[in-house]
């Protein structure tokens, strides 16, 4: 009999059409054989990858290799592993990892601009892949990872670990999609997460001597460093990051789309927002609304990097969530305020049901590597591509936008009650942070129309030109057909 977990997994897989058996050179290994893992990039989130795979030692997983372009980061982790009597092969250039025939699978936690090329190179070298979110830096390259995974029959997991909340979020999604709360009116993602100024520099800054900067830049442009910190603050630059929409927000974007059950990019998208409250070397928006106009119900995403009031420490909440998802339906609301639980409220705000429970996302990846069944994955690369691309298309609208006063913005969106209400709350939030929108105007992006099947905009050449990055030789993301 199919148990509950298998039912939930197959329900999602059935909607995506990803039932097939993946092949690999080590597919004949028995369940007891060792899977040799390499972790690539571990200055931040990658440290969690190292810990995750170490914890799967009893599942037949061996942390066999580490790769990072920063020798200081490498030595720190190697020394810590030495104390645990764990010996790893060290690499600076990920291409040498892919050349290593003893490595069965790789786990990628580099900066965003490296995700797609690293994943595709690994797939082409015969490895299974776990790749962090967002899986891509632009829409086009995300689709190339999907194509590569299918062409080479590899297991490719996205690092959106909320997808492994099967008894929690997957069950809540099914509850909504079964019609228990009636029609979905809006699925709303929230990223209310404090982001301080990264500071303002003058001229070129020194690159840390411990970093192989050419490899760090990789497929991105090799420009002088013009921010105080090389690491992490790349999130707030367009060349290497995607703002908080593609950093923290991708998790909530994915959950919001999951509830809607949409498996294509939205027919329309627009953005309003800006980098407000301080002047620094960051480029991406710290306050933003993204509106995805799906036909069944809109997906609205909100980014807030400023606190609830000027010089405050607390962040705003909306219906009990700060970093989370709110699904408003005819018969009630689902509040997702964590990665593993969902609360169902009736129309009066009374809790009527709660879902909770989560599994190990890394272990799910390993289990799928052994079974060779893509539908065993909780976050197949196709899911990661679509949710990442929703962040990218929203940012494209923002980057093509123009400064507008609040009245002009409201005039454009007043016909949609959800959009108008969201914008009014944004204005109130900024006013509490003493942002003068008459002076520091918001950027209103154009409404872009998308052909979801072709993943091309139907009416804007400039927007189409931003679907694909320009790559630097020899770090070119290949087109996979």
């Amino acid at each position: 009999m199919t148990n509950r977990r298998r039912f939930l997994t197959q329900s999602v897989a059935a909607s995506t059409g990803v039932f097939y058996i993946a092949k690999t050179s080590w597919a004949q290994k028995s369940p007891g054989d060792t899977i040799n893992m390499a972790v690539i990039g571990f200055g931040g989130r990658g440290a969690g990858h190292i810990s995750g795979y170490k914890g799967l030692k009893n599942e037949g997983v061996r942390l066999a290799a580490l790769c990072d372009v920063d020798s200081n980061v490498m030595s720190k982790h190697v020394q810590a592993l030495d104390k645990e009597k764990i010996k790893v092969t060290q690499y600076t250039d990920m291409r040498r990892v892919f050349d290593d025939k003893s490595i069965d699978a790789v786990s990628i936690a580099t900066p965003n601009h490296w995700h797609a090329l690293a994943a595709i190179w690994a797939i082409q070298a015969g490895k299974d892949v776990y790749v962090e979110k967002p899986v891509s830096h632009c829409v086009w390259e995300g689709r190339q990872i999907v194509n590569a995974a299918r062409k080479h029959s590899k297991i490719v997991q996205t690092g959106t670990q909320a997808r492994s909340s099967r008894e929690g979020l997957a069950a809540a999604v099914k509850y909504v999609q079964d019609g228990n709360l009636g029609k979905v009116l809006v699925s709303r993602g929230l990223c209310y997460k404090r982001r301080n100024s990264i500071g303002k520099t003058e001229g070129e800054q020194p690159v840390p001597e411990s970093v192989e900067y050419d490899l760090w830049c990789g497929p991105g442009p090799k420009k002088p460093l013009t921010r105080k910190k090389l690491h992490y603050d790349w999130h707030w630059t367009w060349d290497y990051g995607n703002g908080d929409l593609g950093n923290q927000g991708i998790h909530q974007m994915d959950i919001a789309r999951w509830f809607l059950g949409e498996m294509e990019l939205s027919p329309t998208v627009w953005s309003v927002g800006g980098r407000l409250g301080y002047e620094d070397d960051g480029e991406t928006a710290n306050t933003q609304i993204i509106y995805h106009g799906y036909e069944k119900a809109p997906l609205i995403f909100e980014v807030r990097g400023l606190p609830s009031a000027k010089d405050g420490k607390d962040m705003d909440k909306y219906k009990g969530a700060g970093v989370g998802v709110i699904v408003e339906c005819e018969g009630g609301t689902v509040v997702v305020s964590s990665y593993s639980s969902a609360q169902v409220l009736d129309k009066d705000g009374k809790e009527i049901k709660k879902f909770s429970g989560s599994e190990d996302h890394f272990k799910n990846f390993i289990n799928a590597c052994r079974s060779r069944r893509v539908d065993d994955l909780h976050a197949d690369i196709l899911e990661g591509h679509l949710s990442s691309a929703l962040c990218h298309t929203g940012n494209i609208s923002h980057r093509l936008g123009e400064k507008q006063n609040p009245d002009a913005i409201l005039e454009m969106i007043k016909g949609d009650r959800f959009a108008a209400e969201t914008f009014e709350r944004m204005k109130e939030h900024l006013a509490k942070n003493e942002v003068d929108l008459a002076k520091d105007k918001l950027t209103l992006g154009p409404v872009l129309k998308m052909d979801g099947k072709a993943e091309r905009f139907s009416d804007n050449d400039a927007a189409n030109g931003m679907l694909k990055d320009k790559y630097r030789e020899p770090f070119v993301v290949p087109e996979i057909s």
Side-chain angles (χ1 to χ4, degrees):
M1 292 179 63
T2 301
N3 62 26
R4 179 174 175 79
R5 175 186 169 197
R6 172 66 66 184
F7 173 76
L8 290 168
T9 303
Q10 291 184 346
S11 294
V12 176
S15 69
T16 64
V18 293
F19 283 106
Y20 67 83
I21 304 298
K23 299 175 183 178
T24 189
S25 58
W26 54 279
Q28 300 305 313
K29 284 191 175 186
S30 69
D33 287 339
T34 299
I35 293 177
N36 291 315
M37 287 294 311
V39 175
I40 302 174
F42 39 88
R45 171 61 183 152
H49 289 219
I50 292 173
S51 177
Y53 295 116
K54 283 196 309 178
L56 296 175
K57 180 180 179 181
N58 292 336
E59 304 292 331
V61 176
R62 174 175 172 258
L63 181 63
L66 296 181
C67 177
D68 200 284
V69 298
D70 190 329
S71 60
N72 286 346
V73 171
M74 176 69 79
S75 62
K76 172 187 172 183
H77 285 278
V78 169
Q79 288 173 16
L81 291 171
D82 281 344
K83 292 179 181 178
E84 300 179 54
K85 302 190 183 315
I86 299 174
K87 300 298 181 183
V88 294
T89 304
Q90 302 172 49
Y91 294 100
T92 302
D93 188 330
M94 68 176 72
R95 288 170 291 189
R96 304 293 78 81
V97 178
F98 306 142
D99 290 340
D100 188 337
K101 301 300 183 184
S102 71
I103 299 299
D104 299 311
V106 300
S107 205
I108 299 164
T110 61
N112 297 0
H113 69 290
W114 256 113
H115 286 178
L117 183 56
I120 291 170
W121 275 352
I123 291 166
Q124 291 176 328
K127 320 297 185 187
D128 290 322
V129 175
Y130 181 117
V131 59
E132 268 301 337
K133 51 71 194 171
V135 302
S136 58
H137 187 249
C138 64
V139 174
W140 176 84
E141 65 185 24
R143 177 54 67 175
Q144 304 318 304
I145 312 175
V146 177
N147 292 346
R150 304 302 188 245
K151 179 177 181 178
H152 296 279
S153 298
K154 295 304 171 192
I155 297 293
V156 184
Q157 174 93 304
T158 305
T160 46
Q161 63 264 36
R163 288 275 178 161
S164 281
S165 174
R166 309 313 292 174
E167 300 299 319
L169 301 192
V173 167
K174 186 175 186 304
Y175 181 83
V176 170
Q177 293 181 353
D178 283 348
N180 288 288
L181 293 177
K183 180 183 177 182
V184 175
L185 302 176
V186 59
S187 187
R188 190 186 302 273
L190 307 175
C191 179
Y192 296 173
K193 191 167 186 176
R194 185 74 169 109
R195 297 297 184 187
N196 294 319
S197 165
I198 65 171
K200 191 75 175 170
T201 58
E202 293 292 335
E204 184 175 351
Q205 303 299 302
V207 176
E209 293 182 1
S210 61
V211 174
E212 292 285 348
Y213 191 54
D214 186 65
L215 289 177
W216 189 95
C217 294
K222 188 177 181 182
K223 294 179 178 179
L225 179 63
T226 55
R227 59 185 184 277
K228 288 183 178 180
K229 287 170 51 182
L230 171 67
H231 294 315
Y232 199 80
D233 286 349
W234 53 262
H235 278 295
W236 325 126
T237 67
W238 293 120
D239 286 335
Y240 312 110
N242 304 98
D244 230 3
L245 187 62
N247 181 29
Q248 172 63 56
I250 174 63
H251 287 290
Q252 287 67 47
M253 181 72 80
D254 184 60
I255 296 167
R257 181 182 65 82
W258 193 7
F259 272 95
L260 291 178
E262 297 288 354
M263 292 304 296
E264 287 187 0
L265 302 187
S266 60
T268 61
V269 58
W270 56 264
S271 166
V272 60
R275 193 168 186 86
L276 305 165
Y278 47 71
E279 291 186 11
D280 66 356
D281 290 322
E283 300 169 335
T284 62
N286 67 1
T287 307
Q288 191 176 17
I289 296 169
I290 301 294
Y291 186 101
H292 287 290
Y294 283 112
E295 292 183 9
K296 294 178 182 178
L299 191 166
I300 300 178
F301 203 92
E302 303 178 50
V303 173
R304 295 186 186 180
L306 300 176
S308 56
K310 183 73 172 178
D311 298 325
K313 295 182 179 179
D314 295 332
M315 297 301 294
D316 288 330
K317 300 282 187 182
Y318 180 72
K319 298 193 175 183
V323 175
V325 173
I326 309 294
V327 184
E328 300 177 36
C329 306
E330 291 175 321
T333 302
V334 179
V335 178
V336 179
S337 57
S338 77
Y339 288 70
S340 60
S341 65
Q343 182 185 33
V344 182
L345 309 176
D346 65 16
K347 295 178 72 173
D348 296 322
K350 180 181 178 181
E351 182 180 305
I352 56 177
K353 200 170 186 63
K354 189 169 185 177
F355 299 93
S356 64
S358 186
E359 300 171 26
D360 187 319
H361 204 51
F362 294 113
K363 184 176 179 180
N364 171 245
F365 169 60
I366 294 299
N367 288 343
C369 287
R370 292 196 186 282
S371 74
R372 312 310 305 157
R373 291 178 59 88
V374 173
D375 61 292
D376 282 344
L377 284 172
H378 294 161
D380 172 61
I381 186 60
L382 177 60
E383 302 284 4
H385 161 57
L386 293 172
S387 294
S388 299
L390 291 180
C391 298
H392 302 328
T393 57
N395 277 333
I396 288 172
S397 175
H398 172 72
R399 296 179 72 183
L400 292 175
E402 297 180 354
K403 302 284 187 179
Q404 296 283 358
N405 64 55
D407 290 341
I409 296 172
L410 188 59
E411 180 65 26
M412 190 207 83
I413 66 176
K414 66 181 183 182
D416 186 299
R417 67 183 177 96
F418 292 115
E421 178 272 335
T422 305
F423 181 63
E424 291 291 352
R425 287 191 293 103
M426 173 194 269
K427 288 198 304 177
E428 292 173 7
H429 163 72
L430 291 171
K432 290 178 180 178
N433 278 275
E434 300 178 12
V435 175
D436 182 358
L437 290 180
K439 177 184 177 183
D440 300 318
K441 293 183 178 180
L442 290 163
T443 297
L444 176 64
V447 178
L448 301 174
K449 297 179 181 178
M450 167 68 70
D451 179 340
K453 288 184 171 51
E455 296 184 349
R456 297 274 298 173
F457 295 110
S458 58
D459 62 346
N460 194 306
D461 291 339
N464 279 325
M466 299 175 75
L467 291 171
K468 180 181 179 181
D469 288 346
K470 295 178 175 63
Y471 302 108
R472 187 173 67 95
E473 294 283 355
F475 308 101
V476 178
V477 176
E479 184 168 4
I480 310 295
S481 58

